[in-house]
């Protein structure tokens, strides 16, 4: 939960009311000529502290990464990883060899390949390609997880052509030695697989979407060497099951499942009710998102409740549902984008290091990749969450002020911070700083001007410091003539 701290000041105008974000987004381009863009994934590829973007272009058989230049807002530069990955359809990232450099995983639909590109950790980044499987017909999705509990990252993938969910055990070595195990070859038209600990037993289970048989299936990890699996059908009537994801949607400690059903246009949450076997409560968020292809969950408005983002390629829509909390599922629907034909993937990341979650997506029809910049606008939440946190100390001087005011912070550890000046009505007046702050003293100055460079009116303002642990710290300011 966000924390609100009222710190002693030289002058207090009135009791401070802390403000939290209410979502608005600005659409920004990443690449407008990435032929057949059909997958995106965010990761810090070059270890510079900024989130980069990975993408696949099915039309040009490319796997690429887009380097974040760290400006505000950032721009992105395309770097080719592979340009002969036949109908490149999916990309993800993980450090599979444990060298602290982010490696890239890919699935090639026509090539039937599952590959890993090892990041050599150099500057500029260079890659060593390793084919894990070249007979995985219509490979559709690939991810990394510690399937066998041995501490290394294994690979799990879905094959539509083989109706197969498989995993490859990471046996170490340079190059890595992989051993393949089939979980099932009866997931008809398998499209998606998500590794997740459903039973809270520290074993990674697998949830998959089988497009042709309309199934969402749970494979429970029973341990052993090799790992043994028990199959349970979560839903056998999810028409055109195309995508699954996992998240604790109701903050009860259990992982719930989200799904996108292409043929019916359904976006669904299956709430985990516990038990053995697990009992599921199906909740339909949407039943008319034409060509529903993807769905994920993330907290877009920093209220500690996961929200939902989904895309439908036939509708050309990206839709968000804001989680209202409570025992009974309740969501507020907002259409983020309604003119993006061929939209497939959705993702979230912090593109600009401003401590809120931005949205990432691509259109295979338009060959475009965009990100939607979360503007973090403000609404009041009152004072009932205030508590003292000794890890951050803040003083301001002089206060009241006329021409400028100095804001001094003391941090107990390195942190991402955002320093904002907000008006009493919640309007953002000036963003003084957004980025890394080192342990120790930090100093910022507000010159009394708004973001347009003109003098702000005299009156009451609030300085808000937001940290990467989602804490909020604030104090009142008074601007005189």
């Amino acid at each position: 939960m966000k924390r609100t701290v009222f710190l002693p000041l030289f002058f207090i105008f009135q009791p401070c009311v802390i403000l939290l974000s209410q979502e608005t987004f600005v659409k920004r381009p990443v690449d407008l000529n990435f032929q057949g863009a059909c997958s995106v994934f965010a990761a810090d590829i070059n270890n510079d502290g900024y989130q980069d973007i990975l993408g696949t272009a099915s039309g040009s058989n490319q796997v690429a990464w887009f380097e974040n230049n760290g400006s505000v807002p950032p721009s992105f530069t395309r770097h080719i990883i592979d340009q002969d990955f036949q109908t490149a359809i999916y990309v993800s990232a993980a450090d599979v060899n444990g060298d602290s450099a982010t490696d890239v995983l890919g699935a090639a639909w026509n090539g039937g390949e599952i590959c890993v590109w090892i990041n050599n950790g150099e500057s500029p980044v260079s890659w060593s390609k390793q084919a894990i499987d070249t007979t995985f017909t219509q490979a559709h999705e690939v991810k990394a997880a510690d399937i066998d509990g041995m501490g290394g990252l294994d690979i799990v993938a879905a094959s539509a052509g083989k109706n197969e969910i498989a995993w490859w055990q990471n046996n170490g070595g340079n190059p890595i030695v992989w051993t393949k195990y089939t979980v099932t070859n009866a997931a008809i038209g398998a499209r998606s697989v998500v590794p997740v600990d459903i039973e809270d037993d520290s074993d990674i289970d697998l949830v998959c979407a089988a497009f042709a048989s309309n199934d969402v299936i749970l494979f429970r990890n029973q341990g052993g060497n090799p790992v043994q699996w028990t199959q349970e059908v979560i839903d056998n009537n999810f028409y055109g099951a195309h995508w699954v994801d996992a998240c604790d949607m109701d903050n009860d400690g259990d992982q719930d499942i989200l799904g996108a059903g292409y043929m019916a246009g359904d976006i669904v949450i299956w709430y985990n009710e516990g038990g053995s076997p697990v009992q599921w409560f199906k909740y339909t968020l949407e039943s008319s998102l034409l060509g529903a292809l993807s769905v994920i969950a993330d907290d877009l408005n920093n209220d500690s409740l996961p929200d939902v983002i989904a895309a439908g390629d036939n509708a050309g829509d990206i839709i968000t549902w804001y989680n209202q909390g409570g025992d009974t599922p309740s969501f507020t629907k907002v259409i983020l984008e309604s003119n993006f034909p061929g939209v497939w993937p959705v993702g979230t990341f912090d593109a600009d290091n401003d401590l809120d979650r931005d949205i990432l997506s691509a259109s295979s029809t338009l060959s475009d990749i965009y990100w939607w910049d979360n503007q973090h606008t403000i609404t009041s939440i009152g004072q009932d969450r205030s508590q003292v946190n000794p890890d951050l100390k803040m003083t301001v001087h002089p206060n009241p002020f006329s021409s400028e005011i100095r804001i001094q912070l003391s941090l107990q550890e390195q942190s991402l911070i955002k320093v904002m000046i907000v008006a009493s009505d919640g309007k953002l007046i000036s963003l003084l700083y957004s980025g890394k702050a080192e342990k120790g003293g930090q100093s910022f100055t507000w010159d009394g001007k708004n973001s347009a460079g003109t003098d702000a009116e005299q009156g009451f303002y609030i300085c808000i410091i937001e940290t990467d642990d989602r804490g909020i710290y604030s104090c009142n300011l008074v601007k005189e003539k």
Side-chain angles (χ1 to χ4, degrees), residues 382-405:
Q383 302 178 25
D384 58 333
R385 299 185 184 185
S386 114
Q387 64 183 38
V388 174
N389 189 309
D391 292 338
L392 184 146
K393 296 179 181 178
M394 175 167 59
T395 60
V396 295
H397 184 76
N399 195 25
F401 74 103
S402 55
S403 60
E404 67 177 31
I405 186 168

Side-chain angles (χ1 to χ4, degrees), residues 66-85:
F66 302 85
E67 183 177 3
N68 184 333
N69 71 352
S71 62
V72 180
S75 60
F76 295 86
T77 302
R78 188 201 302 184
H79 303 283
I80 303 300
I81 299 173
D82 195 321
Q83 54 189 357
D84 191 27
F85 197 53

Side-chain angles (χ1 to χ4, degrees), residues 83-164:
Q83 54 189 357
D84 191 27
F85 197 53
Q86 298 300 308
T87 317
I89 199 168
Y90 193 87
V91 67
S92 61
D95 178 13
V96 296
N97 62 350
D99 65 354
S100 300
T102 301
D103 308 308
V104 173
L105 311 172
W109 178 264
N110 282 349
E113 288 188 80
I114 299 296
C115 287
V116 58
W117 292 266
I118 299 297
N119 182 337
N120 294 333
E122 302 168 357
S123 182
V125 176
S126 61
W127 304 92
S128 300
K129 181 178 180 179
Q130 185 181 11
I132 297 174
D133 196 316
T134 59
T135 63
F136 207 57
T137 309
Q138 294 179 336
H140 195 269
E141 195 170 288
V142 58
K143 295 173 181 174
D146 182 7
I147 300 297
D148 56 9
M150 300 298 290
L153 287 179
D154 309 303
I155 302 298
V156 60
S159 161
K162 285 191 166 183
N163 307 318
E164 186 173 1

Side-chain angles (χ1 to χ4, degrees), residues 361-382:
S361 192
S363 161
S364 58
T365 300
L366 301 177
S367 297
D368 291 347
I369 301 176
Y370 281 94
W371 68 285
W372 285 258
D373 188 353
N374 191 336
Q375 296 296 289
H376 205 79
T377 56
I378 307 295
T379 92
S380 170
I381 65 163

